[in-house]
Amino acid sequence: MDPTVQERLRDRLKAALFLRVLLVSAFLGALAISFFHNQSEAYAVSTVLLLWAIAITYAVTLVSAVVLLRVRQLTAFAYGQLVFDVLLTTGVVYVTGGTESPFGFLYSLVVIAAAFLVSSAGALAVAALSAIAYAALVGALQLGVLYELHSGALPGADLDFAVRFAITSGSFFVIAFLASSLTRRLHVTESLLRERESERERLLSLQEAVARNIDSALITTDLDGYITSANPVAGELVGRDAAALTGTDLGSLFPALRHTGTGRLSFLQSPEHNATEFRFARDGDGERVLRCSGALLRDTYRNPIGGLFILQDVTALRRLEEKLHQSADDVIEAELAIEEGPPADGLVGTCPAMQRVREFIEKVARSDATVLLSGESGTGKELVARAIHSRSSRAERPFVAVNCGAIPENLIESELFGHAKGAFTGAVQARAGLFRTADGGTIFLDEIGELPLPLQVKLLRVLQERTFNPVGSDSAVSVDVRIIAATNRSLEAEVAAGRFREDLYYRLNVLALSLPPLRERRQDIPLLVRRFLRQFSELHGKNVQRLSVAAARRLQEYHYPGNIRELENIIEHAVALCEGETVHEEHLPEYVLRRPREESVEGPGDSILAPPPASATPPRLELVNGNLDDSLAAYEKSIILRALAEAGGVKKKAADLLGINYRSFRHRLYKYGLNDPHDRFGLDDPPSSQSASG
């Protein structure tokens, strides 16, 4: 038997022996006193027999208690005690009236004791033994084998007597069944209580270990704010022994945590409760910055019983952040004049490259010459075009922006130059076109390299003569419009490949400007971050003011394939997740948190199209759905997804990585269901924000 189970059985036997003494003393003693004063009663019994019964019971119980301390076979010992209790009960029934005795219920107590001490089977066995003993007693009295001690006549063996005898005997088994069921439930409950107690002890040990070894101060209070426990770190923080803090008002130690008249710990009951920081000064130790997080403690019934406070000394961290932001703040103060400039100028940056961009804008804005802007996607080409327009004499006239790569080839001519009514199927009315919309102002042709060759010829005529014919019309239309074109690819290479007309290139390349990527102007990142923090805090109704040191380092190390547009998306993601005033690393997108070597561009010989290295054993041929076409489609889709990830989600950049033109790339996006359904044509990159980028 398991030692633990054996000890529990030993404890139960001790309780059973003690109850036996109490019951025998109570019942037999009371009966003896009754007969001492009523010797003439019909049911008077021998005083000697009563005294002998009490003496034998005490003697057996005393011996059993001594033996119980040393016996090993506790189950056999328990059965022996139960047999003795059955015999004792039979003797009590005999000397107190036989079948008329009022103490027949003692058999039931023995059956219940059997269920409690041994098992359900043991309870049934004791019930059977009790029935046999009772039947033997009644039979012996009926047959005259035993001398009848009471003065009354024996009842006859009639039907009434038989029914009473059967009910009494049957009740033993009913009680055995009920007692066994109840005992099983008690044992299960006892087992659960032991498990909960063991779990509680483990939790207390864990709590004590954590409180001793954690670097933060842990303090618990009651509902009135008086300290009930504190770990050693809390004692060191206030310069006193941790044990001596018990019973002290928390507000007297940390005035910033002093409770108001609205109720003790009421501020912890708010589900929006956030950590707070406050300054704490200790005599002779200077001022510290402490960060406090609190939680309401509740009992099993969810009633508040106190509070838990976790205090951390963040003085060194705050000093480091202040140093980090100080240099950025100096730069931002110098840039405030630019940030407060005209709304159309969203350019941000103080690096030499951005200074050259501003100088270029100021010079070319005075003329009507064609401008060609080049640079990676997301560098702010449209903002530069708008800045040129806003500083020119055409500022009061329209500025029309067109993404040439986002319009399907069969619609782009009509979009740019308009069409006459009935020019083609669906042309139910005439359309002016974007060039006529921009008459007197500026038209910005983004991604000019995506124009098909036939449209390039027509655009060349507009540049030369400032006239064009709408689709389906023989009448020429004259426009006074300044053209600013932009591209994210090398037009010289496109000309060499035969995909772009050389004469058109030279017509566009009158005033050219190449915008620097964000990774080449990292000193402007703090300015852009601050601008975006303010912008998206207002948009989302928050008050995010700064970056943590670790988060700022991540943003400085990231290579930004999507440039300022990608930084804008990263900051919006962080503001949406941030619940306090400071953006931490966990608020940044997962791809920003990867190690630099994982984000770096592949070296010579590496390519996102490169097959996996060959192994010594050729891999087993596995086909998707068992055919080559599905396998090639799955492989092509995986390459496209990898290119999008490498390009930071910028589709034009991904097309360049794959060495295909954007129109072919967007066709594949549509083929595999990867296009954005909210775009006008289902293929467009999201436009860059006009509020802050440069």
Side-chain angles (χ1 to χ4, degrees), residues 241-293:
D241 183 65
L245 298 180
T246 303
T248 306
D249 187 357
L250 181 66
S252 65
L253 297 177
F254 304 102
L257 300 180
R258 191 182 302 278
H259 304 296
T260 63
T262 58
R264 299 283 188 174
L265 302 180
S266 59
F267 70 98
L268 292 180
Q269 301 183 37
S270 172
E272 294 82 14
H273 172 67
N274 293 318
T276 182
E277 292 186 4
F278 60 91
R279 297 187 179 275
F280 169 72
R282 198 180 75 183
D283 294 341
D285 195 27
E287 190 177 62
R288 301 183 182 184
V289 180
L290 301 183
R291 178 182 177 85
C292 177
S293 300

Side-chain angles (χ1 to χ4, degrees), residues 655-675:
D656 291 340
L657 289 174
L658 295 173
I660 59 177
N661 61 46
Y662 181 57
R663 189 166 279 106
S664 176
F665 181 73
R666 70 187 188 188
H667 170 73
R668 287 175 169 83
L669 292 179
Y670 182 80
K671 175 181 177 182
Y672 297 116
L674 301 176
N675 57 304

Side-chain angles (χ1 to χ4, degrees), residues 600-607:
S600 61
V601 180
E602 290 88 345
D606 293 335
S607 170

